[in-house]
Amino acid sequence: MRWKRPLLWIVAVVTTATACGGASHSAPRAGGSPGGVASGKPAPQRSAAASAGLPTVGVLLDEDGHWCTASVVDSPRGNVVATAAHCVYADGSASSDFSFAPGYGGKGAGRTPYGTWKVRTVQVADAWKAAGDDADAHDYAFLTLDPDSRGRQVQQVVGAARPDWTSGPERRVTVTGYPNADHNPDGTPVTCTTDTRRDPDLAGSMRMECDGFFDGTSGSPWLADGRLIGVLSGGDTDTESTAVVFDARTRALYDRAVKAAATPAPPAPARL
């Protein structure tokens, strides 16, 4: 059975994990050219390394801590982020009262150098709502964010990765994510640049091999030539990670998020 990180639910489950059950969050798998030397490329990484991270990549955060990774996706209003569906929707409902913290890092409560943005809406595929973990082919989600206290959208502050809806499964990718505190007490993101291959177990998905993507890295962006082609969702072993390759179905869900992002937030209730 494909391994997934459990979702951090407001009911007091675990605080800092949410990326997959088991020992490690999906670990990337390297495929593609066998060594990369003949093609002039550096050899793919086999183990993730501590990283300064990317401003566009951060964590999903609530008062109990962080659990999954997410990243900013280019959008008209600049307020959409991508993550894994299992990070934000389970047992028939979406998680609530949480925020996105780009560029997060540090021990304990950590630092939020770019601030935090409250999540307003959670968009997952209808197939995921109906079947949950049995709908692995739809394990991606798009979240819309409210402006920060200064009225800025997240993309204005940290930038965004443009999505690619037509990628193939065999690419050179860079994946950045945040393992949970058990494996990452310093709160440092890890990064791996490696080759992917087609996932033989799930049509429309890709795999990579790279140690170090423990719980917490679910939702990590898979960037190929700087464009977002998928998010980390699961893996069969501690050294493998998988992601659904973004396609027309993913774009339709993204379009739904863009539409939701353009809808004004309801006014705050008046104080009596």
Side-chain angles (χ1 to χ4, degrees):
M1 174 175 176
R2 180 145 312 187
W3 167 70
K4 278 223 197 318
R5 294 161 212 214
L7 185 51
L8 177 287
W9 288 109
I10 333 186
V11 186
V13 182
V14 188
T15 66
T16 341
T18 294
C20 270
S24 121
H25 187 56
S26 318
R29 155 174 266 194
S33 65
V37 178
S39 66
K41 292 182 180 178
Q45 284 179 242
R46 292 288 177 170
S47 182
S51 165
L54 294 169
T56 55
V57 182
V59 297
L60 301 180
L61 183 71
D62 68 8
E63 61 184 7
D64 294 317
H66 67 89
W67 63 100
C68 275
T69 301
S71 64
V72 187
V73 188
D74 183 59
S75 66
R77 288 186 64 87
N79 60 348
V80 175
V81 300
T83 189
H86 74 265
C87 291
V88 293
Y89 194 100
D91 299 327
S93 63
S95 49
S96 60
D97 297 323
F98 67 108
S99 300
F100 171 65
Y104 180 92
K107 297 181 179 180
R111 299 182 303 275
T112 56
Y114 303 103
T116 60
W117 277 261
K118 182 175 175 56
V119 174
R120 192 206 311 177
T121 68
V122 173
Q123 306 291 334
V124 298
D126 292 341
W128 183 269
K129 291 179 181 179
D133 283 0
D134 292 330
D136 281 347
H138 300 273
D139 195 3
Y140 44 78
F142 295 101
L143 317 178
T144 66
L145 310 178
D146 284 334
D148 69 4
S149 59
R150 296 168 58 183
R152 301 174 301 175
Q153 303 292 2
V154 66
Q155 187 171 328
Q156 291 176 256
V157 179
V158 300
R162 294 184 64 187
D164 182 349
W165 312 116
T166 60
S167 177
E170 297 179 354
R171 301 291 298 273
R172 171 65 60 97
V173 298
T174 296
V175 182
T176 300
Y178 286 82
N180 66 22
D182 291 344
H183 292 283
N184 183 27
D186 292 333
T188 304
V190 297
T191 295
C192 185
T193 297
T194 192
D195 295 322
T196 65
R197 68 180 185 184
R198 187 181 304 275
D199 184 352
D201 298 330
L202 184 64
S205 290
M206 54 189 166
R207 286 188 182 187
M208 67 178 187
E209 293 174 354
C210 197
D211 293 330
F213 284 85
F214 299 103
D215 290 0
T217 59
S218 284
S220 298
W222 292 36
L223 300 175
D225 296 324
R227 300 191 68 165
L228 183 66
I229 65 170
V231 296
L232 195 154
S233 60
D236 295 324
T237 71
D238 289 351
T239 61
E240 290 182 343
S241 291
T242 59
V244 179
V245 183
F246 283 179
D247 59 10
R249 296 174 305 172
T250 323
R251 181 168 191 170
L253 184 64
Y254 165 85
D255 288 342
R256 189 191 305 176
V258 166
K259 184 175 180 180
T263 303
R271 294 186 179 182
L272 300 178

